RNA sequence: GCUCCCAUCGUCUAGAGGCCUAGGACACCCGCCUCUCACGUGGGUAACAGGGGUUCGAAUCCCCUUGGGAGCGCCA
């Protein structure tokens, strides 16, 4: 029986959870779920200068909104520094690491020289085999050492990557990396390895940008004689122009996608298809996603972020989401958009009921919750309605006259349902020899203030008799 | 500069030597449906980066070129 799968998502809280990180988290989550394992969450906050509690909150909030949960408590890497130090000391004791007293100036000179000679920029190992006397002399001179890994000089280091395949580095391209800084704090490279080992992580699924780190980390595992976890380096997400994702492109925090009106399920579906595929299938329920997900169908080339496709998928989810659920999604989104809180304040029982009633016609016409809210404005509008340009044009070019004629018919209706209303308007159209659209558009303009809306007879019903007639009268007599 | 990775329609991708006259989705164009806009639906434009091999046969394997990307810190 193989060990249970343990994955982890390990963001550093130096910024918000961006879309690439969101996808990495999703892949880790899916892989863990797929294999009945666990996904752990570790906050890599060892950079005390740049880590902020706000960023930690944003990351946790973003994951929760995306619907990705983790097992156990959140692990904070900084709190584990003593353990990291302990491992560094152990490596020293085992002769797999050594103290290095090279100064920043020496290091800088080394880099300059390498550059000038066209050689790889790497530490030359000058303290690898120094005598005890040299070390004492350095200490006496007040130098604080770092602890470096005594990396293998010959042979090669191999990473068997579940996505990238077998990747090989010649060891003379890998230098003796720093494990412990001169101030006694661990470096990222050490901390990651120690934490992943201690957390019993079996699968490290992360961005492609860590591929070369995997080689160096493998050397640390080997020095400690620890089992190397399986690696899976997934390709990065690029902006629409192919360049690295930046704030300008779509590397927005996932919270921004919430404010843009995307549904978590829609975003997840879009994200899972970025780099991964399952034949021709485009839409996946969460269960299908879990059942179908694997690493071998993750591609190796970077993908561009495409808002048009995200919108399309999100639109699909909007149409297939229940009305009540959609309304509550709107309510959780409203606080994050302009004018949202005010709208939220107007959401009384009556309004909710109306909105719910109009939802089937509304959700079919929106690709995002923001668009849905936009299309719902007429529900909340108060008389006399403000008209947009197209609605005004319809009314001014003969629309008002038509409304006057219609008004009598409508006012005399006994029942107020879609079928009755449609019959009445059609009767008027026939009597005057016009197309239904000729009458529908002025009605739409009067009722919604716009030239587009859900079916006009549904609008009549949602608005109710009094409000509908009032809005028509406003325009007919204007 | 050095190391590593990548390369199919505009975009996301299917394709694991013959099933490919290269499939699907988004976007785009033209229809149908229709009270508007959508939805739905029918159809269309559009790709194997280039060059060498290997093979009876290559989008699929190998090499080179070109083009992208990532990493080269006492950052993570």
């Amino acid at each position: 029986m193989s060990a249970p799968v343990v994955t982890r998502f390990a963001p550093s809280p130096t910024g918000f959870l961006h879309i690439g990180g969101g996808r990495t988290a999703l892949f880790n989550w899916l892989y863990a779920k797929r294999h009945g394992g666990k996904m752990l969450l570790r906050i890599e906050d060892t950079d005390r200068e740049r880590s902020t509690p706000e960023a930690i909150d944003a990351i946790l909030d973003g994951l929760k909104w995306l619907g990705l949960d983790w097992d156990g408590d959140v692990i904070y890497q900084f709190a584990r520094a003593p353990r990291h130090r302990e491992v560094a000391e152990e490596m020293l004791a085992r002769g797999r690491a050594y103290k290095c007293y090279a100064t920043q100036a020496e290091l800088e000179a080394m880099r300059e020289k390498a550059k000038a000679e066209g050689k790889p920029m790497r530490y030359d190992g000058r303290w690898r085999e120094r005598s005890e006397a040299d070390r004492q002399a350095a200490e006496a001179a007040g130098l604080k050492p770092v602890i470096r890994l005594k990396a293998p000089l010959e042979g090669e280091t191999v990473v068997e990557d579940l996505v990238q395949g077998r990747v090989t580095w010649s060891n003379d391209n890998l230098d003796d990396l720093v494990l412990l800084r001169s101030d006694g704090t661990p470096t990222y490279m050490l901390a990651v390895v120690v934490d992943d080992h201690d957390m019993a992580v079996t699968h490290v699924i992360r961005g492609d940008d860590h591929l070369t780190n995997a080689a160096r980390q493998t050397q640390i595992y080997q020095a400690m004689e620890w089992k190397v976890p399986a690696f899976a380096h997934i390709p990065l997400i690029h902006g629409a122009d192919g360049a690295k994702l930046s704030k300008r492109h779509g590397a927005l925090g996932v919270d921004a996608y919430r404010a843009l009106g995307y549904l978590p399920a829609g975003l997840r579906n879009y994200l899972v298809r970025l780099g991964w595929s399952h034949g021709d299938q485009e839409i996946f329920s969460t269960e299908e996603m879990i059942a179908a997900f694997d690493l071998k169908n993750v591609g190796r080339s970077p993908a561009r972020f495409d808002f048009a496709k995200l919108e399309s998928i999100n639109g699909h989810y909007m149409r297939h989401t229940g009305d009540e659920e959609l309304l509550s999604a709107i309510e959780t989104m409203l606080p994050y958009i302009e004018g949202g809180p005010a709208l939220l304040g107007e959401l009384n029982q009556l309004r909710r009921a109306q909105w719910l009633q109009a939802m089937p016609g509304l959700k079919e016409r929106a690709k995002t919750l923001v668009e849905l809210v936009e299309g719902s404005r007429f529900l909340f509008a108060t008389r006399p309605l403000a008209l947009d340009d197209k609605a005004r044009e319809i009314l001014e070019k003969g629309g008002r006259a038509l409304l006057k004629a219609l008004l009598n018919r409508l006012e005399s209706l006994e029942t107020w349902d879609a079928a009755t209303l449609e019959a009445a308007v059609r009767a008027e159209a026939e009597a005057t020899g016009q197309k239904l659209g000729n009458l529908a558009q002025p009605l739409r303009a009067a009722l919604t203030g716009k030239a587009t809306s859900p079916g006009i007879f549904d609008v009549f019903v949602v608005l109710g008799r009094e409000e509908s007639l009032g809005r028509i009268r406003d325009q007919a007599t204007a």
Side-chain angles (χ1 to χ4, degrees), chain A residues 210-470:
Chain A
H210 287 285
L211 185 57
T212 42
N213 289 337
R216 327 193 77 184
Q217 287 163 200
T218 294
Q219 294 187 330
I220 298 178
Y221 280 103
Q222 288 168 343
M224 285 303 290
E225 290 172 36
W226 284 342
K227 187 178 190 315
V228 182
F231 287 111
H233 289 91
I234 62 180
L236 268 20
I237 299 175
H238 290 171
D241 60 357
K244 189 179 179 181
L245 215 43
S246 71
K247 291 268 163 48
R248 260 65 55 189
H249 296 110
L252 309 162
V254 303
D255 58 310
Y257 290 86
R258 168 172 54 198
L260 253 17
Y262 295 104
L263 260 15
L267 188 53
R268 262 185 270 135
N269 199 143
Y270 175 71
L271 252 20
V272 81
R273 284 285 290 99
L274 230 44
W276 176 78
S277 62
H278 184 65
D280 283 341
Q281 191 170 352
E282 297 284 348
I283 302 295
F284 297 82
S285 68
T286 302
E287 295 69 31
E288 289 175 320
M289 223 180 258
I290 291 169
F293 190 77
D294 59 10
L295 258 10
K296 86 170 196 293
N297 285 317
V298 173
R300 278 146 299 165
S301 50
R304 299 187 184 201
F305 194 88
D306 181 12
F307 269 104
K309 184 141 187 181
L310 203 211
E311 292 222 328
S312 167
I313 288 177
N314 199 65
H316 176 273
Y317 276 86
M318 300 262 295
R319 295 192 293 280
H320 291 266
T321 297
D323 301 335
E324 308 241 0
E325 197 180 328
L326 226 31
L327 185 55
S328 81
I330 289 171
E331 288 177 276
T332 61
M333 183 267 311
L334 245 22
Y336 301 94
I337 68 167
E338 192 154 339
L343 200 58
L344 207 48
E346 290 179 50
L347 255 190
N348 54 32
Q349 279 306 105
L350 175 68
R351 289 269 124 94
R352 290 179 55 92
Q354 278 183 303
W355 212 346
L356 235 28
Q357 192 182 4
M359 202 60 89
L362 254 15
K363 69 186 180 188
E364 203 165 85
R365 293 170 171 75
K367 290 196 164 35
T368 65
L369 293 173
V370 170
E371 284 180 14
L372 202 167
V373 168
E374 233 10 78
S376 305
R377 291 282 172 194
F378 72 91
L379 290 173
F380 298 85
T382 51
R383 294 173 52 202
L385 260 57
L387 306 174
D388 72 12
D389 292 344
K390 286 178 182 166
R392 183 173 302 112
E393 188 180 324
I394 289 167
L395 291 169
E396 284 172 358
K397 290 189 174 172
R400 293 207 161 85
L402 294 169
L403 288 181
K404 269 175 206 153
L406 273 165
L407 202 48
N408 290 335
R409 256 183 211 275
L410 296 172
E411 280 172 332
S412 65
L413 289 179
E414 297 288 332
T415 44
W416 198 259
D417 59 49
T420 308
L421 286 156
E422 180 163 356
V425 177
R426 279 190 187 279
E428 171 69 15
E430 265 183 53
T432 52
Q434 353 177 33
K435 285 186 171 178
L436 183 57
N438 268 14
L439 297 177
Q441 282 306 83
L443 286 171
R444 193 180 322 275
L447 256 29
T448 68
K450 301 205 281 192
T452 66
S453 81
I456 195 63
F457 305 111
D458 294 328
V459 171
F460 267 113
V461 175
V462 172
L463 252 23
R465 184 187 174 103
E466 290 316 308
E467 182 68 19
S468 297
L469 291 176

Side-chain angles (χ1 to χ4, degrees), chain A residues 8 12 17 59 77 80 96 121 172 237 250 279 283 288 306 317 345 394 434 457:
Chain A
R8 68 4 177 229
S12 66
L17 176 63
I59 289 167
Q77 189 163 62
R80 293 177 41 78
R96 305 303 297 265
M121 295 187 250
D172 46 45
I237 299 175
I283 302 295
E288 289 175 320
D306 181 12
Y317 276 86
I394 289 167
Q434 353 177 33
F457 305 111

Side-chain angles (χ1 to χ4, degrees), chain A residues 41 69 128 139 164 169 172 178 203 218 226 248 450:
Chain A
L41 178 61
D69 52 2
R128 216 180 212 256
E139 290 281 350
Q164 306 291 340
W169 284 265
D172 46 45
V178 174
H203 296 257
T218 294
W226 284 342
R248 260 65 55 189
K450 301 205 281 192

